[in-house]
Amino acid sequence: MREDYRRIYAAVAAIPRGRVASYGEIAARAGLLKRARLAGRALRETPEELELPWHRIVRADGSLVCPGRLREQARRLRAEGVEVRNGRVRMSEHGLHHDLDSELWSMPPAKQKARAG
DNA sequence: CGTCTGACTAGTA
DNA sequence: TTACTAGCCAGAC
Protein backbone atom coordinates (compact mmCIF):
# COMPACT_ATOMS: atom_id res chain seq x y z
CA MET A 1 0.00 0.00 0.00
CA ARG A 2 2.94 2.33 0.44
CA GLU A 3 2.96 2.99 -3.29
CA ASP A 4 -0.67 4.04 -3.14
CA TYR A 5 0.17 6.29 -0.23
CA ARG A 6 2.82 8.00 -2.34
CA ARG A 7 0.25 8.70 -5.04
CA ILE A 8 -2.11 10.09 -2.45
CA TYR A 9 0.58 12.34 -1.03
CA ALA A 10 1.35 13.56 -4.53
CA ALA A 11 -2.31 14.36 -5.11
CA VAL A 12 -2.44 16.27 -1.83
CA ALA A 13 0.68 18.22 -2.70
CA ALA A 14 -0.94 19.15 -6.02
CA ILE A 15 -3.78 21.04 -4.37
CA PRO A 16 -3.32 24.73 -5.20
CA ARG A 17 -3.01 27.23 -2.41
CA GLY A 18 -6.32 28.61 -1.21
CA ARG A 19 -8.16 25.57 -2.51
CA VAL A 20 -9.56 22.53 -0.73
CA ALA A 21 -10.34 18.97 -1.79
CA SER A 22 -12.26 16.06 -0.33
CA TYR A 23 -10.79 12.68 0.49
CA GLY A 24 -12.64 11.19 -2.42
CA GLU A 25 -11.18 13.77 -4.78
CA ILE A 26 -7.68 13.07 -3.55
CA ALA A 27 -8.15 9.35 -3.97
CA ALA A 28 -9.54 9.82 -7.47
CA ARG A 29 -6.62 12.06 -8.46
CA ALA A 30 -4.27 9.41 -7.14
CA GLY A 31 -5.86 6.89 -9.45
CA LEU A 32 -7.67 5.26 -6.55
CA LEU A 33 -11.32 5.84 -7.32
CA LYS A 34 -13.65 5.31 -4.37
CA ARG A 35 -10.78 4.91 -1.96
CA ALA A 36 -11.62 7.94 0.15
CA ARG A 37 -11.01 6.01 3.32
CA LEU A 38 -7.61 4.99 2.09
CA ALA A 39 -6.81 8.65 1.49
CA GLY A 40 -7.80 9.36 5.06
CA ARG A 41 -5.64 6.54 6.34
CA ALA A 42 -2.69 7.76 4.32
CA LEU A 43 -3.13 11.30 5.57
CA ARG A 44 -3.20 10.08 9.13
CA GLU A 45 0.28 8.71 8.56
CA THR A 46 1.50 11.75 6.69
CA PRO A 47 5.22 12.19 7.45
CA GLU A 48 5.77 15.72 8.69
CA GLU A 49 8.97 15.83 6.66
CA LEU A 50 6.85 15.95 3.51
CA GLU A 51 5.20 19.13 4.76
CA LEU A 52 2.07 18.32 2.83
CA PRO A 53 -0.84 20.78 2.79
CA TRP A 54 -2.95 18.34 4.83
CA HIS A 55 -5.14 21.24 5.95
CA ARG A 56 -6.55 21.52 2.43
CA ILE A 57 -8.25 18.15 2.85
CA VAL A 58 -11.80 18.29 4.11
CA ARG A 59 -14.82 16.03 3.97
CA ALA A 60 -17.05 15.92 0.92
CA ASP A 61 -19.56 18.23 2.60
CA GLY A 62 -16.87 20.78 3.36
CA SER A 63 -16.54 20.05 7.07
CA LEU A 64 -13.10 20.03 8.62
CA VAL A 65 -11.86 16.80 10.15
CA CYS A 66 -8.39 16.40 11.62
CA PRO A 67 -9.15 15.35 15.21
CA GLY A 68 -7.38 17.68 17.59
CA ARG A 69 -6.27 19.90 14.75
CA LEU A 70 -9.51 21.64 13.87
CA ARG A 71 -8.11 24.93 15.11
CA GLU A 72 -4.85 24.52 13.25
CA GLN A 73 -6.58 23.48 10.03
CA ALA A 74 -9.02 26.39 10.19
CA ARG A 75 -6.19 28.78 10.96
CA ARG A 76 -4.11 27.62 7.99
CA LEU A 77 -7.06 27.71 5.64
CA ARG A 78 -7.98 31.23 6.66
CA ALA A 79 -4.34 32.20 6.15
CA GLU A 80 -4.81 31.14 2.54
CA GLY A 81 -7.99 33.09 2.09
CA VAL A 82 -10.37 30.17 2.58
CA GLU A 83 -13.41 31.18 4.58
CA VAL A 84 -14.16 28.79 7.43
CA ARG A 85 -17.60 29.05 9.00
CA ASN A 86 -18.48 26.89 11.96
CA GLY A 87 -15.80 24.35 11.10
CA ARG A 88 -16.81 24.11 7.47
CA VAL A 89 -15.86 25.54 4.11
CA ARG A 90 -17.90 25.99 0.96
CA MET A 91 -16.70 23.40 -1.55
CA SER A 92 -18.51 25.20 -4.37
CA GLU A 93 -16.40 28.24 -3.58
CA HIS A 94 -13.00 26.78 -2.73
CA GLY A 95 -13.23 23.30 -4.24
CA LEU A 96 -10.98 22.08 -7.01
CA HIS A 97 -13.76 22.39 -9.56
CA HIS A 98 -14.29 26.05 -8.89
CA ASP A 99 -12.00 27.21 -11.69
CA LEU A 100 -13.27 24.72 -14.22
CA ASP A 101 -16.88 25.48 -13.39
CA SER A 102 -16.24 29.18 -13.64
CA GLU A 103 -14.80 28.81 -17.11
CA LEU A 104 -17.54 26.53 -18.28
CA TRP A 105 -20.31 28.69 -16.88
CA SER A 106 -18.78 31.87 -18.20
CA MET A 107 -18.39 30.39 -21.65
CA PRO A 108 -19.92 32.46 -24.41
CA PRO A 109 -23.31 31.14 -25.52
CA ALA A 110 -21.81 30.27 -28.88
CA LYS A 111 -24.17 29.60 -31.70
CA GLN A 112 -26.73 26.94 -31.13
CA LYS A 113 -26.32 24.91 -34.23
CA ALA A 114 -29.02 22.45 -34.91
CA ARG A 115 -27.41 19.09 -35.02
CA ALA A 116 -28.85 15.69 -35.34
CA GLY A 117 -27.39 13.22 -32.93
C1' DC B 1 -10.49 -16.80 7.12
C1' DG B 2 -14.33 -13.73 10.10
C1' DT B 3 -15.15 -9.49 12.57
C1' DC B 4 -14.56 -4.76 13.89
C1' DT B 5 -13.09 -0.14 12.99
C1' DG B 6 -12.13 4.18 10.52
C1' DA B 7 -8.99 11.79 9.00
C1' DC B 8 -15.18 8.55 3.82
C1' DT B 9 -19.57 9.33 0.87
C1' DA B 10 -24.29 9.54 -0.90
C1' DG B 11 -29.02 9.05 0.16
C1' DT B 12 -33.04 9.71 3.12
C1' DA B 13 -35.87 11.70 6.86
C1' DT C 1 -29.34 22.21 9.22
C1' DT C 2 -28.51 17.54 11.86
C1' DA C 3 -29.15 12.25 12.49
C1' DC C 4 -29.20 7.89 10.75
C1' DT C 5 -28.37 4.26 7.11
C1' DA C 6 -26.07 1.46 3.70
C1' DG C 7 -22.04 0.94 0.94
C1' DC C 8 -17.31 1.12 0.63
C1' DC C 9 -12.29 -1.04 1.21
C1' DA C 10 -7.98 -1.59 3.73
C1' DG C 11 -5.77 -2.71 8.22
C1' DA C 12 -5.56 -4.85 12.85
C1' DC C 13 -6.51 -9.15 15.52
Side-chain angles (χ1 to χ4, degrees):
Chain A
M1 274 304 104
R2 292 305 176 190
E3 195 57 34
D4 291 340
Y5 282 24
R6 285 196 52 189
R7 285 172 161 276
I8 291 170
Y9 294 146
V12 173
I15 304 175
R17 194 172 187 280
R19 215 76 53 77
V20 300
S22 69
Y23 293 89
E25 282 283 286
I26 292 304
R29 278 166 169 255
L32 303 166
L33 204 59
K34 287 180 168 250
R35 305 301 198 275
R37 304 197 91 137
L38 182 60
R41 192 172 289 278
L43 279 164
R44 193 169 64 169
E45 302 179 18
T46 301
E48 293 184 17
E49 56 191 41
L50 291 182
E51 297 184 4
L52 289 180
W54 56 268
H55 57 282
R56 293 177 191 152
I57 311 302
V58 299
R59 291 212 280 219
D61 64 356
S63 59
L64 275 51
V65 181
C66 301
R69 298 211 187 283
L70 278 304
R71 288 282 303 170
E72 179 66 9
Q73 186 171 22
R75 196 184 71 78
R76 292 196 184 199
L77 286 176
R78 291 201 184 98
E80 296 183 356
V82 177
E83 185 182 7
V84 181
R85 301 288 299 181
N86 193 20
R88 311 173 58 164
V89 303
R90 288 195 297 180
M91 295 297 280
S92 59
E93 186 97 9
H94 302 285
L96 292 172
H97 297 300
H98 183 56
D99 287 344
L100 180 59
D101 287 345
S102 296
E103 289 193 27
L104 290 178
W105 281 85
S106 63
M107 249 205 215
K111 295 182 175 131
Q112 306 257 337
K113 266 188 175 170
R115 50 185 150 155

